[in-house]
Amino acid sequence: MSILSLPQLRSLLGTKVEWLYYILQAFNTGDLVRYQELCRVHKDALNSQPALVANERKLSEKINILCLMEIIFDRPAEDRTIPLSVIAERTRLSIEDVEYLLMKSLSVHLIEGIIDQVKGTVHVSWVQPRVLGVPQIKSLRDRLDNWVGKVHAALLSVEAETPDLVAS
């Protein structure tokens, strides 16, 4: 269960601190652009919270990791070799910082994979499961529908190539 689905957190909606709900939502989905924009707009309120100010670096690291996990999740399972430049663009980090982010994610077992510095890619073979939101579930449904279509096409192809074997 995601913290965002709790009714207590939804009670922030429609209040003067509604922006906090949206910051948590952006953080949870790894939406770095939205998160940074909300932090900029609500800078004064955020700076009035000592715990947030003291942990700003850790929060930045965590949202970059969540952004990385979203990048991986958005890709089909057969296309998990990702150029470091793509990750750098989405996370707004340098290639060196992307390598550090990947090493950190690998070391705490959030992902499994291999970094190829020569090719400038990372091949991800596994991602730590997370609570999925409605958009992610819809994405999975679409992927499954696509997969079912491919399996059906393969079946028709096999049937067409081997009519004698299927008929008997």
Side-chain angles (χ1 to χ4, degrees):
M1 174 186 263
S2 169
I3 190 170
L4 292 170
S5 63
L6 295 175
Q8 294 87 342
L9 198 58
R10 290 190 178 273
S11 69
L12 295 174
L13 296 172
T15 69
K16 64 180 180 178
V17 291
E18 180 177 54
W19 57 269
L20 184 57
Y21 176 84
Y22 294 115
I23 282 182
L24 288 171
Q25 187 179 49
F27 192 92
N28 186 57
T29 59
D31 187 344
L32 190 61
V33 173
R34 178 141 170 80
Y35 176 78
Q36 288 175 339
E37 175 63 19
L38 287 165
C39 286
R40 186 187 61 72
V41 169
H42 302 288
K43 183 180 179 181
D44 294 337
L46 289 168
N47 285 335
S48 70
Q49 301 297 320
L52 292 176
V53 173
N55 292 295
E56 185 177 353
R57 186 170 182 267
K58 285 182 184 179
L59 290 170
S60 179
E61 249 183 40
K62 288 185 185 291
I63 193 162
N64 281 324
I65 289 171
L66 290 168
C67 184
L68 170 66
M69 292 176 79
E70 281 300 310
I71 292 167
I72 297 165
F73 181 81
D74 288 344
R75 297 177 79 93
E78 67 274 2
D79 183 26
R80 293 270 172 93
T81 300
I82 307 165
L84 300 183
S85 59
V86 168
I87 298 169
E89 182 181 320
R90 288 267 304 269
T91 59
R92 299 180 174 181
L93 295 172
S94 67
I95 296 294
E96 293 78 24
D97 288 338
V98 167
E99 290 172 356
Y100 174 76
L101 175 69
L102 289 168
M103 288 186 282
K104 174 106 175 158
S105 300
L106 288 162
S107 70
V108 296
H109 304 291
L110 292 174
I111 64 172
E112 289 181 6
I114 299 169
I115 301 170
D116 186 336
Q117 288 181 310
V118 174
K119 291 182 180 175
T121 62
V122 61
H123 177 75
V124 180
S125 55
W126 179 83
V127 180
Q128 174 71 39
R130 298 185 58 217
V131 174
L132 301 178
V134 173
Q136 292 167 319
I137 292 171
K138 286 179 181 176
S139 172
L140 281 177
R141 182 196 63 208
D142 294 343
R143 288 184 198 176
L144 282 172
D145 289 346
N146 186 25
W147 179 77
V148 167
K150 286 180 180 179
V151 169
H152 185 70
L155 173 67
L156 293 177
S157 174
V158 168
E159 285 177 348
E161 295 295 323
T162 57
D164 296 334
L165 294 175
V166 175
S168 46

